[in-house]
Amino acid sequence: MSIPNNLSSILKTIPPGVKLIAVSKTKPESDILQAYQAGQKIFGENKAQELAAKCQSLPKDIEWHMIGHMQSNKVKYIAPFVHMIHSIDSLNLLKEVNKQGIKNNRIINVLLQFHIAEEESKFGFSEEEAKELLSSREFSELKNINVCGIMGMATFTENTNQIQKEFSHLNSIFKKLKSEYFTNHPNFKEISMGMSGDYLIAIKEASTMVRLGSSIFGGR
Ligand SMILES: *Cc1c(COP(=O)(O)O)cnc(C)c1O
């Protein structure tokens, strides 16, 4: 299968209202261009410097999403242009994004990442931690960020029942936060969940953004 063929068969399975983020991490620019020429304009990367380098040399109308765990000292590489950072997992990181937003005179879109999987290795807030963050005075002072919703990754397992439960849990966290902290914030509307192996389950559980890499570009 070719990249354009993969893309077009995947797009047939994604309803309108769900955004496809083509995850191009580790893939060469020539692969990204093939997807771009087939009409895909939204790409995701998980390393700040790789993202910045690709942005430099690829077409300017690409919308770049940062989806991977990030150290605060890397935010500066992507702050001038990144469309959205999905992987906010600490107040410190959020403060740095805000600081870089001020420096670049822009408001940076972010999602709060939640730990919904069984594996310890995955990053993200618990519901309690997020509530503490959202109620804090420090958070309320951050004016150069725009919290657009939440993100999470399910456990890597064959057990679709478990995956479905984890996505459903993320959806319930979204609804609670929306009603407790973001009622008057129409921008808070995104649930970024679903990867190549589980995105159809995620869509059934109200995902608004799916992040697909290997099913478009092949294995890494
Ligand atoms: C790599 C990655 C993806 C895409 O994974 P695939 O299984 O290749 O679709 C999605 N989200 C995050 C956070 C990733 O790091």
Side-chain angles (χ1 to χ4, degrees):
M1 285 294 270
S2 69
I3 290 169
N5 284 342
N6 292 342
L7 252 180
S8 83
S9 48
I10 287 164
L11 283 169
K12 288 185 189 122
T13 66
I14 297 179
V18 177
K19 267 194 186 149
L20 171 60
I21 296 165
V23 177
S24 48
K25 63 190 188 197
T26 78
K27 296 296 177 182
E29 291 171 4
S30 55
D31 283 11
I32 299 176
L33 274 175
Q34 282 190 55
Y36 177 83
Q37 277 148 10
Q40 179 67 24
K41 297 286 144 71
I42 310 177
F43 292 87
E45 291 279 338
N46 71 340
K47 292 206 167 74
Q49 277 136 309
E50 184 176 343
L51 176 47
K54 285 174 171 170
C55 173
Q56 274 258 311
S57 41
L58 286 162
K60 291 305 163 212
D61 62 338
I62 290 180
E63 186 181 301
W64 291 102
H65 290 240
M66 176 65 187
I67 62 168
H69 177 68
M70 215 182 359
Q71 259 140 14
S72 297
N73 61 0
K74 302 287 169 65
V75 176
K76 58 177 182 280
Y77 297 118
I78 60 170
F81 64 87
V82 71
H83 179 78
M84 185 176 280
I85 300 175
H86 293 227
S87 42
I88 299 295
D89 56 8
S90 71
L91 174 60
N92 255 345
L93 181 59
L94 201 52
K95 281 158 80 174
E96 178 63 19
V97 172
N98 187 70
K99 186 173 140 191
Q100 294 296 329
I102 294 169
K103 260 196 185 159
N104 289 280
N105 193 26
R106 60 191 298 252
I107 291 172
I108 299 178
N109 297 323
V110 298
L111 302 178
L112 304 178
Q113 181 171 354
F114 283 82
H115 188 279
I116 52 169
E118 187 172 84
E119 295 115 310
E120 283 294 325
S121 61
K122 286 177 179 155
F123 294 100
F125 294 109
S126 68
E127 194 177 324
E128 279 319 300
E129 289 165 344
K131 286 182 173 173
E132 193 182 314
L133 168 82
L134 294 171
S135 334
S136 70
R137 199 176 59 106
E138 279 182 296
F139 174 76
S140 68
E141 288 167 349
L142 305 177
K143 303 297 183 203
N144 284 63
I145 52 154
N146 176 27
V147 182
C148 299
I150 68 178
M151 179 270 220
M153 271 186 275
T155 303
F156 188 69
T157 173
E158 306 271 282
N159 183 344
T160 55
N161 193 39
Q162 181 178 353
I163 295 170
Q164 183 262 324
K165 278 190 187 140
E166 290 173 358
F167 285 150
S168 163
H169 179 213
L170 193 63
N171 184 18
S172 77
I173 293 174
F174 173 83
K175 287 185 195 150
K176 278 189 226 168
L177 297 183
K178 177 89 188 159
S179 69
E180 288 178 39
Y181 301 96
F182 295 99
T183 33
N184 297 316
H185 295 71
N187 291 343
F188 189 86
K189 61 181 167 59
E190 308 290 358
I191 308 179
S192 169
M193 60 182 184
M195 309 184 8
S196 292
D198 57 21
Y199 76 98
L200 291 173
I201 307 173
I203 288 171
K204 283 195 189 134
E205 297 299 331
S207 172
T208 66
M209 294 179 151
V210 292
R211 311 176 309 269
L212 307 191
S214 49
S215 56
I216 299 172
F217 297 106
R220 287 178 297 270

